[in-house]
Amino acid sequence: MKRLIIVTGFESSGSVFAARIVSFVLGKCSKFGDWNGYGWNGKYGEELVIVHRSMPYMRNPKRWINDLENEIALLKDYSREFIICTRDLNISRISRIKRFGGTHSDYKNDDKRAAEIFSRIISEEKYFILNLETAIALGDAYYQGLFAWLNVETNFSPNIIDANKPYIKNI
């Protein structure tokens, strides 16, 4: 069966990085970084399609899971697997405010809606949760768990940097 992998997560949760890793280890690009991790890597008819969509994605208007379902409607004959990316939400919100503007309250509301979407995915779909802090703490062992879940053998070791460090004051 053809395979659709949807990489999603809270905005600023490392989902672009995760999408790039998945794309590389599954052979959708010949070297890490050939695909930027945004949107689609592949198209209808190919054996493997990887789609990255944060929740929400886009701006004015923001797009959510229903928009994604419409976007991938042609891929109904594909098996579906989700990678849900998470990160400390306070740091994620600060990152979004710096990138997009807006308020902490706005993003708190987005996070609530996204959490409802991810809860539904967890209850209905095949999924793996990729947590940025856990990946930083465990490194290669954690990524080997992701690779096993993807059913791929690889020695690839992504260069992991602590993206939270700029947001945490030194004690």
Side-chain angles (χ1 to χ4, degrees):
M1 179 173 253
K2 294 178 181 175
R3 190 174 185 191
L4 169 62
I5 298 177
I6 300 165
V7 181
T8 189
F10 298 95
E11 288 181 306
S12 296
S13 65
S15 58
V16 170
F17 183 59
R20 293 173 64 210
I21 291 169
V22 170
S23 182
F24 174 66
V25 300
L26 292 177
K28 284 299 282 183
C29 49
S30 58
K31 66 179 185 175
F32 181 68
D34 278 351
W35 179 47
N36 66 9
Y38 291 94
W40 287 55
N41 190 355
K43 59 185 182 234
Y44 179 72
E46 293 181 7
E47 291 297 313
L48 172 64
V49 176
I50 300 167
V51 176
H52 166 256
R53 292 290 187 232
S54 298
M55 287 297 137
Y57 64 105
M58 307 290 277
R59 293 274 181 271
N60 302 318
K62 292 179 181 178
R63 296 182 183 231
W64 296 91
I65 194 72
N66 293 340
D67 299 297
L68 174 61
E69 291 292 347
N70 291 335
E71 192 178 338
I72 63 172
L74 281 176
L75 305 173
K76 62 183 173 284
D77 56 332
Y78 283 61
S79 68
R80 290 170 33 141
E81 303 164 56
F82 286 82
I83 297 172
I84 302 169
C85 298
T86 64
R87 178 185 193 182
D88 179 286
L89 288 177
N90 287 310
I91 291 174
S92 172
R93 289 179 200 128
I94 293 167
S95 173
R96 287 179 267 170
I97 290 168
K98 285 183 175 186
R99 288 171 59 204
F100 308 124
T103 68
H104 191 78
S105 178
D106 292 334
Y107 293 118
K108 205 169 184 180
N109 290 333
D110 286 352
D111 292 345
K112 182 179 178 192
R113 186 169 177 188
E116 291 168 359
I117 291 166
F118 303 144
S119 293
R120 185 197 55 80
I121 291 169
I122 289 168
S123 69
E124 298 175 4
E125 306 278 357
K126 182 178 179 189
Y127 70 93
F128 183 92
I129 296 176
L130 184 71
N131 176 267
L132 185 63
E133 286 80 18
T134 305
I136 292 167
L138 299 180
D140 286 341
Y142 190 68
Y143 283 102
Q144 286 303 317
L146 169 63
F147 303 154
W149 182 83
L150 289 167
N151 200 27
V152 63
E153 288 187 34
T154 181
N155 291 328
F156 177 66
S157 177
N159 184 21
I160 304 163
I161 56 170
D162 186 349
N164 288 350
K165 193 173 183 180
Y167 300 99
I168 299 173
K169 291 183 180 181
N170 292 331
I171 297 175

